[in-house]
Amino acid sequence: MNKPKVLITRQLLPEALDQVSEFADMEVWPDTYPPSPEELRTLLKDKHGVLTTIMDRIDASAMDSAPNLKVVSQLGVGVDHIDVDEATKRRILVGNTPGVLAKATADIAFALLMSAARRVSEGDHWVHDKQWELAFHPLHWLGVDVHSTTLGIVGLGETGLEMVKRAQGFDMKVIYYSRTRKPDLEAKYSIEFVDFKDLLQTADFVSLHVAYTPETHFLIGEPEFKLMKPTSILVNAARGPVVDPKALYDALNQNIIYAAGLDVTYPEPISPDDPLLDLKNVVITPHMGSSAISTRRNTMYMAVENMAAGLEGRKLVACVNPSLYQDLGI
């Protein structure tokens, strides 16, 4: 019996590819850069499954070229690059990998918070540029405290909750805003639900952990920055377009807020001539929140299992459109 054909849109760890080879004939895109939309459509023509990254747009046009497609497995949590409604109409299961990324993403978000507050990245660059001549001065390298301050979390999903746990180790008060209030977590972790505007006005640190949707596009823009304290710090480890980049630049350049830490930008990758790169009060990392070895390995395993399940008529470990199960008799 012939194995189903699958496309892997980027190189994975060998052990993950070994797993795929057990249930499918795979084609692996060999380049570091993603296939173009035209190349992707050509690659999908005879495929029953595809394992994607956020850089691969799986829209109606891509699905048109793949009449045999049964499952799209995303290597990550966000699926804003996949037209899930269109996939559902075509009875194509869409899987993602929640849970395994939350701790690593919270680690990088808290690292950005610390670096922006205490000027870690700026100080590191200064030393590497061989400018350190004076051992100590009481007025040099002043940042803002992290301990005993207020952290405002926007979006209390898995990653937002991991931020709560990290903040408690620094004796931070945690307030949060989310579409759905979560009284059980409020009681368990001694956190407080507040209105979005109140959070912006109150928090010393505002950390974004929302999914990217039309409703969260430019969730933080000029009006929101004007509500924040001049000593506050914005952290974004969610998606770049949740924050208006021009408004962010103005807020940082005009000292409307103190600093920012970003693991995501808009656009992504950030343009080499983006004015944000000229500012010292912003720390930017290249979307590396889940780039920890064990986390990435477990993410690959979960994405591979989602694809195997979709091809074999089983429930996915994590499915974005589980309403299809009944239609597919799963």
Side-chain angles (χ1 to χ4, degrees):
M1 182 176 178
N2 292 332
K3 292 180 178 180
K5 295 182 178 180
V6 302
L7 171 66
I8 314 292
T9 64
R10 217 72 84 251
Q11 287 285 347
L12 304 181
L13 292 170
E15 51 265 43
L17 293 177
D18 287 344
Q19 285 189 337
V20 177
S21 67
E22 293 177 3
F23 63 83
D25 289 330
M26 62 180 166
E27 183 174 2
V28 181
W29 179 252
D31 295 346
T32 299
Y33 292 91
S36 68
E38 295 77 15
E39 289 169 324
L40 183 59
R41 287 194 293 269
T42 299
L43 291 165
L44 285 172
K45 282 185 177 179
D46 61 346
K47 302 301 188 295
H48 301 89
V50 57
L51 194 154
T52 68
T53 77
I54 61 169
M55 297 181 73
D56 307 305
R57 180 67 185 161
I58 307 296
D59 54 14
S61 176
M63 296 178 208
D64 283 341
S65 68
N68 300 321
L69 197 61
K70 297 175 65 176
V71 58
V72 178
S73 182
Q74 159 63 358
L75 187 72
V77 178
V79 292
D80 43 280
H81 62 295
I82 301 170
D83 190 334
V84 177
D85 290 339
E86 189 65 30
T88 303
K89 291 177 186 176
R90 299 174 187 236
R91 296 160 63 93
I92 299 170
L93 291 168
V94 178
N96 65 343
T97 59
V100 294
L101 302 176
K103 292 180 185 296
T105 303
D107 285 347
I108 204 74
F110 210 85
L112 287 167
L113 182 155
M114 293 283 291
S115 182
R118 297 302 307 274
R119 303 173 67 180
V120 175
S121 180
E122 186 184 354
D124 173 74
H125 290 158
W126 191 73
V127 173
H128 277 91
D129 288 341
K130 303 177 182 178
Q131 299 183 62
W132 192 9
E133 297 177 353
L134 182 65
F136 172 80
H137 191 288
L139 296 180
H140 288 186
W141 293 107
L142 297 178
V144 298
D145 283 322
V146 174
H147 66 86
S148 306
T149 58
T150 298
L151 172 63
I153 296 175
V154 182
L156 195 65
E158 293 174 338
T159 306
L161 182 57
E162 290 298 329
M163 285 293 285
V164 172
K165 298 174 185 178
R166 284 148 184 75
Q168 289 179 332
F170 285 78
D171 296 323
M172 300 176 83
K173 176 182 178 181
V174 178
I175 59 178
Y176 81 97
Y177 171 78
S178 187
R179 289 181 302 173
T180 304
R181 186 169 178 175
K182 302 180 179 179
D184 55 333
L185 296 180
E186 293 173 27
K188 182 175 181 179
Y189 293 100
S190 299
I191 60 179
E192 179 185 352
F193 177 84
V194 297
D195 177 82
F196 183 49
K197 288 185 178 180
D198 288 342
L199 183 147
L200 296 175
Q201 292 172 328
T202 304
D204 299 298
F205 299 89
V206 175
S207 192
L208 306 177
H209 302 284
V210 296
Y212 178 59
T213 66
E215 290 74 28
T216 60
H217 182 79
F218 288 2
L219 178 69
I220 304 293
E222 182 181 358
E224 289 72 30
F225 284 120
K226 288 183 176 179
L227 290 173
M228 295 169 66
K229 298 178 180 181
T231 54
S232 66
I233 291 173
L234 177 74
V235 176
N236 186 10
R239 284 288 189 265
V242 171
V243 178
D244 180 343
K246 183 182 184 304
L248 174 61
Y249 173 80
D250 290 341
L252 292 168
N253 189 48
Q254 298 170 22
N255 298 314
I256 295 171
I257 64 172
Y258 180 79
L262 313 174
D263 189 43
V264 289
T265 60
Y266 183 62
E268 197 169 289
I270 193 168
S271 172
D273 59 359
D274 192 302
L276 280 171
L277 298 178
D278 296 325
L279 299 177
K280 292 183 178 180
N281 58 340
V282 58
V283 183
I284 305 175
T285 51
H287 204 147
M288 52 191 275
S290 64
S291 298
I293 295 171
S294 61
T295 296
R296 187 57 55 80
R297 180 183 293 110
N298 291 334
T299 305
M300 291 179 184
Y301 287 164
M302 189 171 181
V304 168
E305 172 54 27
N306 276 338
M307 189 161 64
L311 293 173
E312 295 167 4
R314 297 184 284 110
K315 289 186 177 181
L316 280 59
V317 180
C319 185
V320 179
N321 52 354
S323 62
L324 276 180
Y325 286 156
Q326 185 173 354
D327 293 342
L328 295 174
I330 299 175

